[in-house]
Amino acid sequence: SGDQIRLLSATYGDIEISTKDLSFKSTGATPAFLGNVKISGSDVEFIRVNASTLEADDLPNHPGELILAQGTFNSLDINCSKSSLLYCEIEHLVIAKKGLVVGCHLDGKNDGGIGIDIHGFDTIVNVRNSRIHRYSKVQGGQTNETLIGIRVRLVAKAFIKNNLIYDCFESDHSGRETDCGMGIFVKP
């Protein structure tokens, strides 16, 4: 705990971090790539480190804090006490509790889903200066609450300022969509 781990430009496997405070930083010309990352009850910082998926949670008596800067992630599921995402490339983000998303690029790659899903009773998330786009797909059947840039639900609070959100739609046009194809959806 307390160490800074420097990673060379390479592909590494999955890692799991529990109740440790660590900092990871890429030192090569291209960022290091990790597989699936699971963080529990830890303060962790990733600088210029990419990962396939990342999940961060608190543990009883061990709240966590996560800082991600200049990394690329397919999927982030963040449920720790505090998180900051700075200038990251992200495909899908689920976030609860206290969070800050600044200067990030969220690209759905025309594969549907939701860019940022903000939820939870004590959640306050600030999303600023980010680009969120291409949450679109041709879906022939009944479609509910998807193809959305930012969804805020379960009495979460969100401050959404100065973002560019576009190309969030369902292109089948069959009329079987409910609460789909929009930039920002707040529920209830």
Side-chain angles (χ1 to χ4, degrees), residues 139-181:
Q139 294 184 202
Q142 180 65 35
T143 305
N144 297 309
E145 288 189 35
T146 188
L147 312 172
I148 300 169
I150 300 174
R151 179 173 68 172
V152 182
R153 61 189 174 97
L154 302 174
V155 296
K157 294 180 183 173
F159 298 92
I160 302 169
K161 296 180 182 180
N162 200 34
N163 297 284
L164 180 59
I165 306 170
Y166 60 98
D167 286 345
C168 300
F169 60 89
E170 198 284 320
S171 55
D172 180 50
H173 308 296
S174 63
R176 292 179 285 184
E177 302 86 20
T178 305
D179 298 328
C180 292

mmCIF file of all heavy atoms in Angstrom, residues 139-181:
data_model
loop_
_atom_site.group_PDB
_atom_site.id
_atom_site.type_symbol
_atom_site.label_atom_id
_atom_site.label_comp_id
_atom_site.label_asym_id
_atom_site.label_seq_id
_atom_site.Cartn_x
_atom_site.Cartn_y
_atom_site.Cartn_z
ATOM 1 N N GLN A 139 -32.513 -1.720 -33.923
ATOM 2 C CA GLN A 139 -33.078 -2.747 -33.046
ATOM 3 C C GLN A 139 -34.517 -2.995 -33.484
ATOM 4 O O GLN A 139 -35.352 -2.109 -33.392
ATOM 5 C CB GLN A 139 -33.023 -2.300 -31.579
ATOM 6 C CG GLN A 139 -31.606 -2.181 -31.093
ATOM 7 C CD GLN A 139 -31.468 -1.840 -29.631
ATOM 8 O OE1 GLN A 139 -30.441 -1.350 -29.254
ATOM 9 N NE2 GLN A 139 -32.446 -2.083 -28.809
ATOM 10 N N GLY A 140 -34.820 -4.184 -33.961
ATOM 11 C CA GLY A 140 -36.117 -4.478 -34.548
ATOM 12 C C GLY A 140 -37.234 -4.709 -33.555
ATOM 13 O O GLY A 140 -38.388 -4.485 -33.859
ATOM 14 N N GLY A 141 -36.952 -5.150 -32.363
ATOM 15 C CA GLY A 141 -38.007 -5.471 -31.394
ATOM 16 C C GLY A 141 -38.301 -4.333 -30.449
ATOM 17 O O GLY A 141 -37.895 -3.187 -30.654
ATOM 18 N N GLN A 142 -39.044 -4.644 -29.388
ATOM 19 C CA GLN A 142 -39.362 -3.664 -28.339
ATOM 20 C C GLN A 142 -38.058 -3.220 -27.678
ATOM 21 O O GLN A 142 -37.226 -4.044 -27.304
ATOM 22 C CB GLN A 142 -40.297 -4.289 -27.297
ATOM 23 C CG GLN A 142 -40.673 -3.358 -26.171
ATOM 24 C CD GLN A 142 -41.502 -2.166 -26.624
ATOM 25 O OE1 GLN A 142 -42.319 -2.284 -27.524
ATOM 26 N NE2 GLN A 142 -41.285 -1.034 -26.009
ATOM 27 N N THR A 143 -37.885 -1.931 -27.563
ATOM 28 C CA THR A 143 -36.672 -1.356 -27.001
ATOM 29 C C THR A 143 -37.046 -0.372 -25.898
ATOM 30 O O THR A 143 -37.878 0.501 -26.115
ATOM 31 C CB THR A 143 -35.880 -0.625 -28.106
ATOM 32 O OG1 THR A 143 -35.649 -1.542 -29.177
ATOM 33 C CG2 THR A 143 -34.559 -0.143 -27.596
ATOM 34 N N ASN A 144 -36.421 -0.511 -24.714
ATOM 35 C CA ASN A 144 -36.716 0.353 -23.573
ATOM 36 C C ASN A 144 -35.438 0.939 -22.981
ATOM 37 O O ASN A 144 -34.469 0.214 -22.769
ATOM 38 C CB ASN A 144 -37.441 -0.430 -22.470
ATOM 39 C CG ASN A 144 -38.773 -0.942 -22.915
ATOM 40 O OD1 ASN A 144 -39.585 -0.204 -23.443
ATOM 41 N ND2 ASN A 144 -39.007 -2.235 -22.728
ATOM 42 N N GLU A 145 -35.476 2.228 -22.700
ATOM 43 C CA GLU A 145 -34.406 2.938 -21.988
ATOM 44 C C GLU A 145 -33.002 2.557 -22.438
ATOM 45 O O GLU A 145 -32.176 2.090 -21.660
ATOM 46 C CB GLU A 145 -34.544 2.741 -20.480
ATOM 47 C CG GLU A 145 -35.702 3.503 -19.898
ATOM 48 C CD GLU A 145 -35.722 3.482 -18.381
ATOM 49 O OE1 GLU A 145 -34.641 3.492 -17.758
ATOM 50 O OE2 GLU A 145 -36.830 3.476 -17.826
ATOM 51 N N THR A 146 -32.718 2.792 -23.683
ATOM 52 C CA THR A 146 -31.379 2.562 -24.211
ATOM 53 C C THR A 146 -31.117 3.580 -25.311
ATOM 54 O O THR A 146 -31.967 4.414 -25.603
ATOM 55 C CB THR A 146 -31.224 1.107 -24.711
ATOM 56 O OG1 THR A 146 -29.851 0.886 -25.044
ATOM 57 C CG2 THR A 146 -32.118 0.800 -25.874
ATOM 58 N N LEU A 147 -29.946 3.543 -25.894
ATOM 59 C CA LEU A 147 -29.553 4.491 -26.935
ATOM 60 C C LEU A 147 -29.615 5.921 -26.396
ATOM 61 O O LEU A 147 -30.184 6.816 -26.994
ATOM 62 C CB LEU A 147 -30.436 4.314 -28.173
ATOM 63 C CG LEU A 147 -30.607 2.862 -28.639
ATOM 64 C CD1 LEU A 147 -31.637 2.755 -29.731
ATOM 65 C CD2 LEU A 147 -29.292 2.257 -29.056
ATOM 66 N N ILE A 148 -29.007 6.109 -25.232
ATOM 67 C CA ILE A 148 -29.070 7.368 -24.479
ATOM 68 C C ILE A 148 -27.642 7.830 -24.176
ATOM 69 O O ILE A 148 -26.796 7.028 -23.772
ATOM 70 C CB ILE A 148 -29.856 7.171 -23.157
ATOM 71 C CG1 ILE A 148 -31.295 6.709 -23.454
ATOM 72 C CG2 ILE A 148 -29.847 8.438 -22.323
ATOM 73 C CD1 ILE A 148 -32.050 6.247 -22.230
ATOM 74 N N GLY A 149 -27.381 9.120 -24.344
ATOM 75 C CA GLY A 149 -26.069 9.679 -24.005
ATOM 76 C C GLY A 149 -25.804 9.639 -22.511
ATOM 77 O O GLY A 149 -24.822 9.067 -22.053
ATOM 78 N N ILE A 150 -26.710 10.258 -21.712
ATOM 79 C CA ILE A 150 -26.584 10.266 -20.250
ATOM 80 C C ILE A 150 -27.945 9.933 -19.657
ATOM 81 O O ILE A 150 -28.942 10.589 -19.982
ATOM 82 C CB ILE A 150 -26.130 11.637 -19.715
ATOM 83 C CG1 ILE A 150 -24.771 12.033 -20.288
ATOM 84 C CG2 ILE A 150 -26.077 11.631 -18.189
ATOM 85 C CD1 ILE A 150 -24.326 13.447 -19.926
ATOM 86 N N ARG A 151 -27.986 8.929 -18.766
ATOM 87 C CA ARG A 151 -29.218 8.608 -18.041
ATOM 88 C C ARG A 151 -28.972 8.854 -16.556
ATOM 89 O O ARG A 151 -27.988 8.383 -15.989
ATOM 90 C CB ARG A 151 -29.634 7.155 -18.261
ATOM 91 C CG ARG A 151 -30.895 6.796 -17.484
ATOM 92 C CD ARG A 151 -31.422 5.423 -17.823
ATOM 93 N NE ARG A 151 -30.510 4.376 -17.355
ATOM 94 C CZ ARG A 151 -30.806 3.079 -17.394
ATOM 95 N NH1 ARG A 151 -31.952 2.665 -17.924
ATOM 96 N NH2 ARG A 151 -29.945 2.187 -16.961
ATOM 97 N N VAL A 152 -29.888 9.618 -15.932
ATOM 98 C CA VAL A 152 -29.814 9.915 -14.499
ATOM 99 C C VAL A 152 -31.054 9.290 -13.870
ATOM 100 O O VAL A 152 -32.179 9.618 -14.247
ATOM 101 C CB VAL A 152 -29.787 11.438 -14.234
ATOM 102 C CG1 VAL A 152 -29.672 11.719 -12.747
ATOM 103 C CG2 VAL A 152 -28.654 12.101 -14.998
ATOM 104 N N ARG A 153 -30.868 8.397 -12.878
ATOM 105 C CA ARG A 153 -32.003 7.686 -12.304
ATOM 106 C C ARG A 153 -31.799 7.394 -10.821
ATOM 107 O O ARG A 153 -30.717 7.617 -10.284
ATOM 108 C CB ARG A 153 -32.252 6.388 -13.070
ATOM 109 C CG ARG A 153 -31.094 5.428 -13.015
ATOM 110 C CD ARG A 153 -31.284 4.251 -13.973
ATOM 111 N NE ARG A 153 -30.093 3.430 -14.008
ATOM 112 C CZ ARG A 153 -29.920 2.315 -13.298
ATOM 113 N NH1 ARG A 153 -30.889 1.873 -12.512
ATOM 114 N NH2 ARG A 153 -28.786 1.637 -13.389
ATOM 115 N N LEU A 154 -32.870 6.888 -10.214
ATOM 116 C CA LEU A 154 -32.870 6.507 -8.800
ATOM 117 C C LEU A 154 -32.425 7.664 -7.911
ATOM 118 O O LEU A 154 -31.536 7.526 -7.092
ATOM 119 C CB LEU A 154 -32.007 5.261 -8.574
ATOM 120 C CG LEU A 154 -32.412 4.015 -9.364
ATOM 121 C CD1 LEU A 154 -31.404 2.904 -9.177
ATOM 122 C CD2 LEU A 154 -33.798 3.552 -8.972
ATOM 123 N N VAL A 155 -33.059 8.797 -8.076
ATOM 124 C CA VAL A 155 -32.884 10.063 -7.341
ATOM 125 C C VAL A 155 -31.427 10.550 -7.256
ATOM 126 O O VAL A 155 -31.058 11.253 -6.327
ATOM 127 C CB VAL A 155 -33.545 10.047 -5.945
ATOM 128 C CG1 VAL A 155 -35.040 9.895 -6.047
ATOM 129 C CG2 VAL A 155 -32.973 8.955 -5.036
ATOM 130 N N ALA A 156 -30.605 10.186 -8.206
ATOM 131 C CA ALA A 156 -29.244 10.718 -8.267
ATOM 132 C C ALA A 156 -29.299 12.182 -8.691
ATOM 133 O O ALA A 156 -30.262 12.628 -9.311
ATOM 134 C CB ALA A 156 -28.419 9.918 -9.264
ATOM 135 N N LYS A 157 -28.258 12.919 -8.362
ATOM 136 C CA LYS A 157 -28.126 14.309 -8.796
ATOM 137 C C LYS A 157 -26.967 14.393 -9.777
ATOM 138 O O LYS A 157 -25.917 13.790 -9.554
ATOM 139 C CB LYS A 157 -27.848 15.223 -7.611
ATOM 140 C CG LYS A 157 -28.995 15.319 -6.638
ATOM 141 C CD LYS A 157 -28.661 16.222 -5.491
ATOM 142 C CE LYS A 157 -29.812 16.238 -4.510
ATOM 143 N NZ LYS A 157 -29.491 16.970 -3.298
ATOM 144 N N ALA A 158 -27.187 15.152 -10.838
ATOM 145 C CA ALA A 158 -26.132 15.313 -11.833
ATOM 146 C C ALA A 158 -26.058 16.763 -12.271
ATOM 147 O O ALA A 158 -27.082 17.410 -12.462
ATOM 148 C CB ALA A 158 -26.403 14.412 -13.036
ATOM 149 N N PHE A 159 -24.843 17.259 -12.406
ATOM 150 C CA PHE A 159 -24.591 18.579 -12.951
ATOM 151 C C PHE A 159 -23.926 18.339 -14.300
ATOM 152 O O PHE A 159 -22.806 17.855 -14.365
ATOM 153 C CB PHE A 159 -23.692 19.389 -12.021
ATOM 154 C CG PHE A 159 -24.316 19.626 -10.678
ATOM 155 C CD1 PHE A 159 -24.082 18.753 -9.629
ATOM 156 C CD2 PHE A 159 -25.167 20.699 -10.476
ATOM 157 C CE1 PHE A 159 -24.676 18.949 -8.395
ATOM 158 C CE2 PHE A 159 -25.763 20.904 -9.245
ATOM 159 C CZ PHE A 159 -25.516 20.032 -8.199
ATOM 160 N N ILE A 160 -24.647 18.644 -15.366
ATOM 161 C CA ILE A 160 -24.195 18.344 -16.723
ATOM 162 C C ILE A 160 -23.990 19.669 -17.440
ATOM 163 O O ILE A 160 -24.955 20.371 -17.731
ATOM 164 C CB ILE A 160 -25.238 17.456 -17.435
ATOM 165 C CG1 ILE A 160 -25.446 16.167 -16.635
ATOM 166 C CG2 ILE A 160 -24.808 17.164 -18.860
ATOM 167 C CD1 ILE A 160 -26.633 15.341 -17.081
ATOM 168 N N LYS A 161 -22.729 20.038 -17.669
ATOM 169 C CA LYS A 161 -22.416 21.350 -18.229
ATOM 170 C C LYS A 161 -21.446 21.241 -19.394
ATOM 171 O O LYS A 161 -20.456 20.511 -19.323
ATOM 172 C CB LYS A 161 -21.763 22.245 -17.168
ATOM 173 C CG LYS A 161 -22.611 22.582 -15.992
ATOM 174 C CD LYS A 161 -21.825 23.470 -15.043
ATOM 175 C CE LYS A 161 -22.629 23.802 -13.814
ATOM 176 N NZ LYS A 161 -21.862 24.653 -12.906
ATOM 177 N N ASN A 162 -21.732 21.973 -20.460
ATOM 178 C CA ASN A 162 -20.810 22.179 -21.572
ATOM 179 C C ASN A 162 -20.332 20.872 -22.214
ATOM 180 O O ASN A 162 -19.141 20.669 -22.429
ATOM 181 C CB ASN A 162 -19.612 23.014 -21.105
ATOM 182 C CG ASN A 162 -18.896 23.649 -22.276
ATOM 183 O OD1 ASN A 162 -19.511 24.015 -23.262
ATOM 184 N ND2 ASN A 162 -17.578 23.762 -22.164
ATOM 185 N N ASN A 163 -21.275 19.974 -22.482
ATOM 186 C CA ASN A 163 -20.966 18.707 -23.133
ATOM 187 C C ASN A 163 -21.533 18.711 -24.542
ATOM 188 O O ASN A 163 -22.502 19.398 -24.832
ATOM 189 C CB ASN A 163 -21.581 17.552 -22.339
ATOM 190 C CG ASN A 163 -20.997 17.439 -20.960
ATOM 191 O OD1 ASN A 163 -19.899 16.978 -20.772
ATOM 192 N ND2 ASN A 163 -21.751 17.898 -19.965
ATOM 193 N N LEU A 164 -20.965 17.916 -25.411
ATOM 194 C CA LEU A 164 -21.467 17.730 -26.762
ATOM 195 C C LEU A 164 -22.023 16.311 -26.836
ATOM 196 O O LEU A 164 -21.272 15.341 -26.721
ATOM 197 C CB LEU A 164 -20.344 17.931 -27.774
ATOM 198 C CG LEU A 164 -20.703 17.776 -29.243
ATOM 199 C CD1 LEU A 164 -21.786 18.769 -29.642
ATOM 200 C CD2 LEU A 164 -19.468 17.956 -30.097
ATOM 201 N N ILE A 165 -23.352 16.194 -26.999
ATOM 202 C CA ILE A 165 -24.024 14.898 -27.025
ATOM 203 C C ILE A 165 -24.787 14.798 -28.336
ATOM 204 O O ILE A 165 -25.624 15.640 -28.634
ATOM 205 C CB ILE A 165 -24.990 14.747 -25.830
ATOM 206 C CG1 ILE A 165 -24.255 14.996 -24.512
ATOM 207 C CG2 ILE A 165 -25.636 13.373 -25.837
ATOM 208 C CD1 ILE A 165 -25.156 15.100 -23.292
ATOM 209 N N TYR A 166 -24.509 13.740 -29.127
ATOM 210 C CA TYR A 166 -25.172 13.620 -30.424
ATOM 211 C C TYR A 166 -25.164 12.163 -30.896
ATOM 212 O O TYR A 166 -24.480 11.310 -30.327
ATOM 213 C CB TYR A 166 -24.519 14.534 -31.463
ATOM 214 C CG TYR A 166 -23.063 14.270 -31.733
ATOM 215 C CD1 TYR A 166 -22.673 13.504 -32.823
ATOM 216 C CD2 TYR A 166 -22.071 14.791 -30.903
ATOM 217 C CE1 TYR A 166 -21.335 13.264 -33.088
ATOM 218 C CE2 TYR A 166 -20.734 14.556 -31.159
ATOM 219 C CZ TYR A 166 -20.367 13.791 -32.246
ATOM 220 O OH TYR A 166 -19.053 13.556 -32.497
ATOM 221 N N ASP A 167 -25.956 11.895 -31.956
ATOM 222 C CA ASP A 167 -26.078 10.570 -32.568
ATOM 223 C C ASP A 167 -26.500 9.496 -31.576
ATOM 224 O O ASP A 167 -25.897 8.419 -31.498
ATOM 225 C CB ASP A 167 -24.778 10.157 -33.276
ATOM 226 C CG ASP A 167 -24.559 10.898 -34.583
ATOM 227 O OD1 ASP A 167 -25.530 11.508 -35.072
ATOM 228 O OD2 ASP A 167 -23.434 10.871 -35.099
ATOM 229 N N CYS A 168 -27.554 9.774 -30.808
ATOM 230 C CA CYS A 168 -28.145 8.795 -29.904
ATOM 231 C C CYS A 168 -29.553 8.518 -30.424
ATOM 232 O O CYS A 168 -30.473 9.300 -30.190
ATOM 233 C CB CYS A 168 -28.199 9.331 -28.480
ATOM 234 S SG CYS A 168 -26.573 9.750 -27.793
ATOM 235 N N PHE A 169 -29.732 7.413 -31.175
ATOM 236 C CA PHE A 169 -31.036 7.150 -31.789
ATOM 237 C C PHE A 169 -31.176 5.679 -32.176
ATOM 238 O O PHE A 169 -30.203 4.941 -32.257
ATOM 239 C CB PHE A 169 -31.246 8.031 -33.023
ATOM 240 C CG PHE A 169 -30.225 7.819 -34.108
ATOM 241 C CD1 PHE A 169 -30.418 6.871 -35.098
ATOM 242 C CD2 PHE A 169 -29.070 8.579 -34.132
ATOM 243 C CE1 PHE A 169 -29.480 6.672 -36.093
ATOM 244 C CE2 PHE A 169 -28.117 8.385 -35.138
ATOM 245 C CZ PHE A 169 -28.324 7.426 -36.117
ATOM 246 N N GLU A 170 -32.433 5.285 -32.420
ATOM 247 C CA GLU A 170 -32.760 3.953 -32.922
ATOM 248 C C GLU A 170 -33.220 4.147 -34.346
ATOM 249 O O GLU A 170 -34.133 4.912 -34.614
ATOM 250 C CB GLU A 170 -33.859 3.325 -32.060
ATOM 251 C CG GLU A 170 -33.990 1.827 -32.192
ATOM 252 C CD GLU A 170 -34.673 1.397 -33.463
ATOM 253 O OE1 GLU A 170 -35.641 2.041 -33.868
ATOM 254 O OE2 GLU A 170 -34.216 0.416 -34.058
ATOM 255 N N SER A 171 -32.627 3.463 -35.287
ATOM 256 C CA SER A 171 -32.902 3.766 -36.688
ATOM 257 C C SER A 171 -33.816 2.767 -37.382
ATOM 258 O O SER A 171 -33.934 2.789 -38.598
ATOM 259 C CB SER A 171 -31.585 3.906 -37.456
ATOM 260 O OG SER A 171 -30.810 2.753 -37.294
ATOM 261 N N ASP A 172 -34.509 1.908 -36.634
ATOM 262 C CA ASP A 172 -35.461 0.976 -37.242
ATOM 263 C C ASP A 172 -36.776 1.691 -37.543
ATOM 264 O O ASP A 172 -37.462 1.352 -38.491
ATOM 265 C CB ASP A 172 -35.706 -0.214 -36.314
ATOM 266 C CG ASP A 172 -36.685 -1.214 -36.900
ATOM 267 O OD1 ASP A 172 -36.500 -1.617 -38.059
ATOM 268 O OD2 ASP A 172 -37.643 -1.579 -36.194
ATOM 269 N N HIS A 173 -37.150 2.673 -36.734
ATOM 270 C CA HIS A 173 -38.347 3.496 -36.910
ATOM 271 C C HIS A 173 -39.638 2.682 -36.884
ATOM 272 O O HIS A 173 -40.610 3.022 -37.527
ATOM 273 C CB HIS A 173 -38.284 4.318 -38.211
ATOM 274 C CG HIS A 173 -37.034 5.117 -38.357
ATOM 275 N ND1 HIS A 173 -36.717 6.129 -37.490
ATOM 276 C CD2 HIS A 173 -36.011 5.032 -39.243
ATOM 277 C CE1 HIS A 173 -35.554 6.657 -37.844
ATOM 278 N NE2 HIS A 173 -35.108 6.001 -38.907
ATOM 279 N N SER A 174 -39.674 1.584 -36.156
ATOM 280 C CA SER A 174 -40.880 0.762 -36.101
ATOM 281 C C SER A 174 -41.890 1.265 -35.073
ATOM 282 O O SER A 174 -43.016 0.801 -35.045
ATOM 283 C CB SER A 174 -40.517 -0.689 -35.796
ATOM 284 O OG SER A 174 -39.919 -0.777 -34.511
ATOM 285 N N GLY A 175 -41.485 2.191 -34.218
ATOM 286 C CA GLY A 175 -42.402 2.740 -33.223
ATOM 287 C C GLY A 175 -42.542 1.875 -31.985
ATOM 288 O O GLY A 175 -43.450 2.065 -31.192
ATOM 289 N N ARG A 176 -41.651 0.923 -31.788
ATOM 290 C CA ARG A 176 -41.709 0.060 -30.606
ATOM 291 C C ARG A 176 -40.642 0.445 -29.579
ATOM 292 O O ARG A 176 -40.170 -0.391 -28.833
ATOM 293 C CB ARG A 176 -41.546 -1.395 -31.024
ATOM 294 C CG ARG A 176 -42.747 -1.881 -31.828
ATOM 295 C CD ARG A 176 -42.551 -3.298 -32.254
ATOM 296 N NE ARG A 176 -41.580 -3.267 -33.357
ATOM 297 C CZ ARG A 176 -41.206 -4.323 -34.039
ATOM 298 N NH1 ARG A 176 -41.668 -5.505 -33.731
ATOM 299 N NH2 ARG A 176 -40.348 -4.224 -35.032
ATOM 300 N N GLU A 177 -40.271 1.714 -29.537
ATOM 301 C CA GLU A 177 -39.256 2.190 -28.620
ATOM 302 C C GLU A 177 -39.908 2.993 -27.502
ATOM 303 O O GLU A 177 -40.795 3.792 -27.750
ATOM 304 C CB GLU A 177 -38.244 3.097 -29.343
ATOM 305 C CG GLU A 177 -37.549 2.450 -30.503
ATOM 306 C CD GLU A 177 -38.332 2.546 -31.798
ATOM 307 O OE1 GLU A 177 -39.220 3.399 -31.923
ATOM 308 O OE2 GLU A 177 -38.055 1.735 -32.693
ATOM 309 N N THR A 178 -39.464 2.779 -26.279
ATOM 310 C CA THR A 178 -39.945 3.547 -25.134
ATOM 311 C C THR A 178 -38.735 4.166 -24.442
ATOM 312 O O THR A 178 -37.810 3.447 -24.051
ATOM 313 C CB THR A 178 -40.694 2.638 -24.132
ATOM 314 O OG1 THR A 178 -41.740 1.962 -24.835
ATOM 315 C CG2 THR A 178 -41.282 3.448 -23.000
ATOM 316 N N ASP A 179 -38.752 5.484 -24.307
ATOM 317 C CA ASP A 179 -37.668 6.217 -23.650
ATOM 318 C C ASP A 179 -36.307 5.860 -24.253
ATOM 319 O O ASP A 179 -35.365 5.504 -23.558
ATOM 320 C CB ASP A 179 -37.676 5.964 -22.138
ATOM 321 C CG ASP A 179 -38.951 6.455 -21.484
ATOM 322 O OD1 ASP A 179 -39.518 7.444 -21.966
ATOM 323 O OD2 ASP A 179 -39.381 5.842 -20.487
ATOM 324 N N CYS A 180 -36.210 5.968 -25.547
ATOM 325 C CA CYS A 180 -34.977 5.650 -26.278
ATOM 326 C C CYS A 180 -34.556 6.824 -27.151
ATOM 327 O O CYS A 180 -35.359 7.685 -27.478
ATOM 328 C CB CYS A 180 -35.207 4.447 -27.192
ATOM 329 S SG CYS A 180 -35.471 2.927 -26.306
ATOM 330 N N GLY A 181 -33.318 6.792 -27.546
ATOM 331 C CA GLY A 181 -32.824 7.734 -28.530
ATOM 332 C C GLY A 181 -32.855 9.175 -28.078
ATOM 333 O O GLY A 181 -33.558 9.990 -28.648
#
